[in-house]
Amino acid sequence: MSGRLAVVGLGPGDVRWLTPEADAALATADALFGYRLYLDRAPVREGQSRYPSENRQETSRARAALERAAAGARVALVCGGDPGIFAMAATVCEEIEAGPTAWRALEIEIVPGVTAMLAVAARVGAPLGHDFCALSLSDNLKPWPVIERRLDAAAQAGFVIALYNPSSQARRWQLDAALERLRRHLPPTTPTVFGRAVGRADETIAVTTLQAADASAADMATLVIIGSAETRLVPRPGHAPLVYTPRSALA
Amino acid sequence: MSGRLAVVGLGPGDVRWLTPEADAALATADALFGYRLYLDRAPVREGQSRYPSENRQETSRARAALERAAAGARVALVCGGDPGIFAMAATVCEEIEAGPTAWRALEIEIVPGVTAMLAVAARVGAPLGHDFCALSLSDNLKPWPVIERRLDAAAQAGFVIALYNPSSQARRWQLDAALERLRRHLPPTTPTVFGRAVGRADETIAVTTLQAADASAADMATLVIIGSAETRLVPRPGHAPLVYTPRSALA
């Protein structure tokens, strides 16, 4: 049995962000698993079988991929962005820990990728240029008070905040509540970035302020970055402003 | 004048992490600037001029690259990892804000890359699988008490912590002090990862505990990840253990 499971980060939408390592992991797989919209981005190759699944089927998708690898196949499980950031690598680890002992003997490879916050940050300058945190706003698997505590701690300690999963059809009030919470700690002028579908044809990037930020502008393809009190805006004639967080920090 | 400055992330050491976009930005440049060790990783091409500089010359390097772009050249300023994470993109923004008005009219492109914490995390599983922060331990540009406050806040709120710049020849005590600080808040068994020179021939990855972590094992090529209280270790026969942080969190 020579099964292998590669958990492969495709990067955000643009194929120019697909690393050579990720491309090779896709090319050498016998079977491809993944959320349908991500799997659609992997080139179709003869002799490979493809198993698309729906969003929010993370657990069954990870199990199916592990079972196939345990049966001897070379499996690629594809993710958007980086597999280790609010994506399938943690789910695979959870299922290996909970699953049959044989799964622990499998060769597991995590193939990193450009995660959405890096791509959104790059579009506007360097908002993550100093200490920052990444926080999922989904309260499907953690209680909302934990999210509130983390928002408070991050803003008070001066971290820039990248919000993953800010909104979805089933979670409509969370981003608005998070922005309200952050307004208690941060200046109204704090630069705030909404990056939607970064790298895709329908990409939109909007720079606003914490005061003016409108939660209803976000959906499940959006990543939100909220600056620290030190994040700055540099107006530029003929170009969008630059948003950046200086390398230095005051006491 | 059609100058352009691209700030290009090469990813960590392995060329298989260089994105096609970054490769194209290097190929179409007239002039390449960068820290000597990163510039050595960009392929030599006829007709391009190369301007290596030493470490810690970020400001003068950024200015030189901007001046060259303002003179009409297509300039690539190379960084290891991602340019927006403790790297040159923030320095370039700082210099544009402080510099001649003409620099604000330049075309600036930030080309994202795989940053070190993603590559180190991928080597061991999914330690950044849930909310996390990235913190530079360098107190060259921020006071140490700010770093202490951020370490306290991150550990108490349950963020996994990725430490950039944990140590250097001039900064020897900071990582030890940071680990001591974190031991106040986190269990002694908290999984801790030292990733050195990830993606290079001399890569070493060590998984230990917060209690046993030895600061003297880190240098300026090291990235350290300290788990949260929920980060787990999955032993595997014949393989290194998996380290991961579950997607769920307790109250």
Side-chain angles (χ1 to χ4, degrees):
Chain A
M1 184 162 69
S2 60
R4 175 208 76 178
L5 173 59
V7 191
V8 181
L10 302 180
D14 192 330
V15 71
R16 295 178 309 155
W17 289 332
L18 181 73
T19 68
E21 184 184 42
D23 197 36
L26 298 179
T28 58
D30 307 317
L32 301 180
F33 288 77
Y35 171 41
R36 190 171 42 77
L37 293 184
Y38 298 142
L39 201 53
D40 284 348
R41 290 169 45 199
V44 173
R45 291 182 170 96
E46 217 172 322
Q48 290 184 330
S49 45
R50 298 167 76 94
Y51 300 91
S53 46
E54 294 307 311
N55 200 11
R56 301 195 57 186
Q57 299 184 343
E58 289 82 7
T59 302
S60 58
R61 182 189 307 139
R63 277 189 207 141
L66 284 160
E67 275 165 14
R68 189 65 181 262
R74 295 169 67 85
V75 175
L77 173 56
V78 304
C79 310
D82 177 89
I85 307 299
F86 307 116
M88 291 299 297
T91 316
V92 165
C93 292
E94 284 169 19
E95 294 308 314
I96 289 173
E97 186 173 24
T101 312
W103 286 1
R104 299 193 184 207
L106 285 172
E107 188 190 331
I108 305 290
E109 186 189 12
I110 314 291
V111 178
V114 173
T115 181
M117 68 179 165
L118 304 184
V120 170
R123 291 295 199 231
V124 299
L128 306 178
H130 204 61
D131 303 334
F132 67 94
C133 67
L135 181 63
S136 169
L137 273 197
S138 170
D139 56 351
N140 291 334
L141 293 170
K142 69 184 159 185
W144 182 253
V146 171
I147 297 175
E148 286 184 331
R149 198 167 71 228
R150 290 180 184 170
L151 289 167
D152 290 345
Q156 288 173 330
F159 288 102
V160 173
I161 300 171
L163 296 177
Y164 281 74
N165 308 316
S167 188
S168 73
Q169 287 192 336
R171 291 181 301 101
R172 309 296 291 178
W173 57 264
Q174 284 82 348
L175 178 58
D176 195 46
L179 293 171
E180 268 308 309
R181 194 98 193 170
L182 293 173
R183 287 180 188 124
R184 298 185 194 176
H185 307 294
L186 293 167
T189 54
T190 302
T192 299
V193 182
F194 281 54
R196 191 182 172 282
V198 63
R200 297 191 339 216
D202 55 338
E203 168 181 316
T204 56
I205 306 285
V207 175
T208 180
T209 63
L210 180 55
Q211 191 56 48
D214 173 11
S216 72
D219 65 10
M220 60 179 288
T222 306
L223 182 120
V224 179
I225 297 176
I226 295 125
S228 73
E230 311 203 42
T231 303
R232 302 180 61 80
L233 208 73
V234 185
R236 296 187 300 163
H239 295 291
L242 290 171
V243 182
Y244 81 97
T245 306
R247 297 167 301 149
S248 55
L250 304 174
Chain B
M1 185 161 67
S2 59
R4 175 208 76 179
L5 173 58
V7 191
V8 181
L10 303 179
D14 192 328
V15 71
R16 294 177 309 156
W17 291 332
L18 181 74
T19 69
E21 185 184 41
D23 198 36
L26 298 178
T28 58
D30 306 318
L32 302 180
F33 289 76
Y35 171 40
R36 190 170 43 78
L37 294 184
Y38 298 142
L39 201 52
D40 285 347
R41 289 169 44 199
V44 173
R45 290 182 171 96
E46 219 173 321
Q48 289 183 331
S49 46
R50 298 167 76 94
Y51 301 91
S53 46
E54 294 307 311
N55 200 10
R56 303 196 56 185
Q57 299 184 342
E58 290 82 8
T59 302
S60 58
R61 183 189 306 138
R63 278 189 207 141
L66 283 160
E67 275 164 14
R68 188 64 181 262
R74 297 169 68 83
V75 175
L77 173 56
V78 304
C79 308
D82 178 88
I85 307 301
F86 308 115
M88 291 298 299
T91 315
V92 165
C93 292
E94 283 169 18
E95 295 308 314
I96 290 172
E97 186 173 25
T101 313
W103 287 1
R104 299 194 184 207
L106 286 171
E107 188 191 330
I108 305 290
E109 187 189 12
I110 315 290
V111 178
V114 173
T115 182
M117 68 180 165
L118 304 184
V120 171
R123 290 296 199 230
V124 299
L128 307 178
H130 203 62
D131 303 334
F132 67 93
C133 68
L135 181 63
S136 169
L137 272 197
S138 170
D139 56 352
N140 291 334
L141 294 169
K142 69 184 158 184
W144 183 253
V146 171
I147 297 174
E148 286 184 330
R149 197 168 71 230
R150 290 181 183 169
L151 289 167
D152 290 346
Q156 287 173 333
F159 288 102
V160 173
I161 300 172
L163 295 177
Y164 282 73
N165 307 317
S167 187
S168 74
Q169 286 192 333
R171 292 181 299 101
R172 307 297 291 177
W173 57 265
Q174 284 81 349
L175 178 57
D176 196 46
L179 294 171
E180 269 307 308
R181 194 98 192 170
L182 293 173
R183 287 180 187 123
R184 298 185 193 175
H185 308 294
L186 294 167
T189 53
T190 303
T192 298
V193 182
F194 281 55
R196 190 181 172 283
V198 63
R200 297 190 339 216
D202 56 337
E203 168 181 317
T204 55
I205 306 284
V207 175
T208 180
T209 63
L210 180 55
Q211 191 56 48
D214 173 11
S216 71
D219 65 10
M220 61 180 286
T222 307
L223 181 120
V224 179
I225 298 176
I226 296 125
S228 73
E230 309 201 44
T231 304
R232 302 180 60 79
L233 207 74
V234 184
R236 296 187 299 163
H239 296 291
L242 289 172
V243 182
Y244 81 96
T245 306
R247 298 167 300 150
S248 56
L250 304 174

